[in-house]
């Protein structure tokens, strides 16, 4: 059942965002999933409890709960959408105000965002180098390992982008250029 009011609000909201393609796509997916879940519930009737139940009920296709990172992305998307709804006068207050984010479940291996999950030990690094089939694979892993650039950034490099220990990443995250060092 399509919620016309919510659908139209989401469409208007998304049209006014100034985000790059991947972020806009994620917002669109998240908001339309929320809209489908809400059915015909008006925006003004969305409560803190409704949003909390929605976030806690997020699951992937096989029924497993979504990852902590995915749930946090949905949280941020909805929070920003409801802030916009308040600004537009559609609702009086953000139903997500003071709604805490889900805590990581250490038993499931979840960690706080920003926490270094793990590092490679010497044996793992050597195994990766041993299993690298081509010179390209060896070079790429060495570059990623020593510089800290993202895989997508490494794959997008041209030879002229690397000069005297400096890596000029033309399009990093968010289509922003940045510099890495070897």
């Amino acid at each position: 059942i399509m919620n016309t009011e919510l659908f139209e609000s989401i469409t208007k909201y998304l049209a006014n965002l100034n985000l790059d393609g991947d972020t806009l796509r994620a917002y669109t997916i998240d908001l339309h999933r929320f809209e489908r879940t809400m059915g015909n519930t008006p925006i003004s009737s969305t409560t803190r409890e409704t949003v909390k139940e929605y976030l806690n009920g997020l699951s992937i296709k096989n029924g497993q709960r979504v990852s902590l990172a995915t749930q946090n992305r949905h949280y941020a998307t909805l929070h920003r959408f409801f802030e916009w709804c308040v600004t537009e006068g559609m609702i009086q207050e953000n139903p997500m105000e003071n709604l805490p984010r889900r805590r990581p479940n250490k038993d499931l291996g979840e960690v706080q965002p920003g926490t270094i999950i793990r590092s490679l030990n010497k044996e793992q690094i050597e195994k990766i180098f041993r299993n690298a089939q081509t010179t390209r694979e060896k070079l790429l892993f060495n570059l990623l390992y020593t510089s800290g650039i993202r895989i997508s950034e490494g794959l997008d490099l041209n030879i002229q982008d690397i000069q005297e220990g400096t890596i000029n990443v033309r399009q990093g995250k968010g289509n922003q250029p940045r510099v890495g060092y070897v």
Side-chain angles (χ1 to χ4, degrees), residues 48-59:
R48 181 176 182 210
E49 202 52 46
T50 308
V51 176
K52 186 176 180 180
E53 284 176 28
Y54 168 76
L55 290 171
N56 287 332
L58 285 173
S59 60

Side-chain angles (χ1 to χ4, degrees), residues 48-98:
R48 181 176 182 210
E49 202 52 46
T50 308
V51 176
K52 186 176 180 180
E53 284 176 28
Y54 168 76
L55 290 171
N56 287 332
L58 285 173
S59 60
I60 55 179
K61 287 179 183 166
N62 67 6
Q64 284 182 313
R65 194 175 197 187
V66 296
S67 71
L68 182 66
T70 299
Q71 189 175 35
N72 280 337
R73 189 191 76 216
H74 278 262
Y75 180 100
T77 300
L78 288 172
H79 196 282
R80 193 168 170 189
F81 170 68
F82 284 121
E83 281 297 315
W84 178 83
C85 289
V86 169
T87 304
E88 293 292 308
M90 295 177 198
I91 54 176
Q92 295 298 310
E93 59 185 43
N94 186 337
M96 296 189 66
E97 207 60 48
N98 300 316

Side-chain angles (χ1 to χ4, degrees), residues 142-157:
N142 192 26
L143 185 66
L144 297 173
Y145 181 68
T146 58
S147 69
I149 63 172
R150 296 175 178 87
I151 293 172
S152 60
E153 295 170 343
L155 292 171
D156 198 34
L157 288 175

Side-chain angles (χ1 to χ4, degrees), residues 110-132:
E110 295 176 343
V111 294
Q112 288 283 5
T115 302
I116 295 174
I117 297 171
R118 64 179 196 155
S119 60
L120 298 173
N121 62 37
K122 187 177 179 181
E123 292 78 28
Q124 291 168 318
I125 293 167
E126 289 170 354
K127 184 177 181 182
I128 291 171
F129 275 119
R130 275 195 314 275
N131 290 326

Side-chain angles (χ1 to χ4, degrees), residues 159-168:
I159 193 72
Q160 64 269 24
D161 295 330
I162 305 171
Q163 295 178 354
E164 299 177 21
T166 302
I167 302 168
N168 292 305

